[in-house]
Amino acid sequence: STSKCATMQIHAVTDQCSNLHLNNITITRAHEFKDLGVIIDENLKFTSHINHAVAKASVRACLIRKCFVSKDVPTLMRAFKTYVRPILEYASCVWSPTYTAAIKLIESVQRKFTKRLPGYTHLDYASRLRRLKVESLELRRLHSDLILTYKMLFGLTSIPASDFFSIPNHTHNTRGHAYKLFENHCRINVRQHFFAERVIKPWNSLRVTPRDFNSVNSFKTCLLANDLREFLVFT
């Protein structure tokens, strides 16, 4: 369907590409396009997607505060985790930001919600998270990156790990775990912030045992024991 098609130029060169045609009809050019629920822009910064997700999540968080008769904190947090957080985390491995402004914008949804919980107004954000026993959204996105990396390396997804990562042959002789990844040199920021590149340093830094790689659940548990604050903008 020509009307449902669009072309978008994703390239470091600013020169415009020639028009593309389908059945002798020129396909419309687009600066951003929504595919499988993710808004992709030509700069690959995913600014529109982040703004849309934050706006939608903020409205839903506000509705929870207004519509829930109960002011029980565990109930409100359960509602937040169920109805708000998935909006901010859907396909985060694709669009997870590395720019401070975008990270702060996403975090503001959880920050404002927890600030208005009964008995939590006087606490700072870090203290609220510890008391509620929840992680920051930034840390959860990093965990999602690491879990996807684990699934790819151990063949638990249909995504070939070899298309994204290189595993050096000498990893068994190095310190740390035996599944360290080769770190590439990135010439441009877009590539440096891409999932397959940004996850390498935190993955290689993990302090894990062979037993932690036995299952996804074991790996998720070991992530909670690892201090990954050095890879976060906000700690």
Side-chain angles (χ1 to χ4, degrees):
S1 177
T2 308
S3 61
K4 295 181 180 179
C5 294
T7 61
M8 184 168 61
Q9 181 176 342
I10 301 177
H11 201 279
V13 181
T14 57
D15 296 338
Q16 292 290 331
C17 297
S18 58
N19 292 328
L20 298 180
H21 298 81
L22 183 64
N23 295 331
N24 296 323
I25 299 176
T26 303
I27 301 177
T28 306
R29 288 182 179 271
H31 296 292
E32 59 184 37
F33 203 80
K34 188 173 184 178
D35 184 32
L36 298 177
V38 178
I39 302 175
I40 305 171
D41 57 68
E42 57 189 357
N43 296 320
L44 294 180
K45 292 183 178 180
F46 298 95
T47 302
S48 295
H49 178 83
I50 292 171
N51 291 338
H52 176 76
V54 168
K56 185 177 180 180
S58 298
V59 170
R60 194 165 292 185
C62 183
L63 288 174
I64 290 174
R65 290 194 301 267
K66 289 183 176 181
C67 299
F68 273 62
V69 176
S70 172
K71 299 305 177 183
D72 178 60
V73 173
T75 300
L76 293 174
M77 281 305 300
R78 192 178 302 113
F80 180 85
K81 294 176 183 179
T82 303
Y83 299 111
V84 179
R85 207 161 62 180
I87 299 174
L88 299 170
E89 296 181 344
Y90 171 74
S92 65
C93 295
V94 175
W95 56 264
S96 183
T98 54
Y99 296 100
T100 302
I103 295 172
K104 187 175 181 179
L105 179 63
I106 299 169
E107 203 70 42
S108 67
V109 180
Q110 182 167 270
R111 185 186 299 271
K112 292 176 182 178
F113 186 86
T114 56
K115 180 73 173 178
R116 297 176 183 177
L117 291 173
Y120 286 78
T121 305
H122 66 287
L123 300 174
D124 60 55
Y125 184 50
S127 299
R128 295 198 300 272
L129 294 183
R130 285 194 297 269
R131 186 170 171 181
L132 293 167
K133 297 181 180 179
V134 297
E135 302 89 8
S136 68
L137 298 177
E138 183 184 9
L139 178 58
R140 285 180 59 82
R141 289 195 300 276
L142 177 54
H143 283 177
S144 294
D145 283 354
L146 293 169
I147 291 170
L148 178 59
T149 303
Y150 171 89
K151 291 180 178 179
M152 292 170 63
L153 291 176
F154 287 85
L156 301 180
T157 70
S158 58
I159 307 173
S162 58
D163 290 352
F164 289 81
F165 306 114
S166 297
I167 304 178
N169 294 326
H170 62 273
T171 51
H172 61 281
N173 293 324
T174 63
R175 293 182 179 180
H177 59 82
Y179 298 96
K180 288 189 174 182
L181 303 173
F182 180 79
E183 188 173 348
N184 301 298
H185 172 71
C186 302
R187 185 175 57 85
I188 58 178
N189 286 338
V190 171
R191 181 64 190 180
Q192 182 180 355
H193 298 160
F194 177 58
F195 158 75
E197 301 298 335
R198 68 171 184 260
V199 77
I200 293 177
K201 287 184 177 179
W203 173 268
N204 289 345
S205 74
L206 291 177
R207 296 184 177 181
V208 292
T209 64
R211 184 180 300 177
D212 293 325
F213 289 116
N214 286 343
S215 67
V216 175
N217 289 333
S218 297
F219 182 72
K220 289 180 179 179
T221 301
C222 86
L223 286 182
L224 300 177
N226 276 264
D227 187 356
L228 299 171
R229 286 178 294 180
E230 65 176 296
F231 304 106
L232 304 177
V233 174
F234 299 102
T235 56

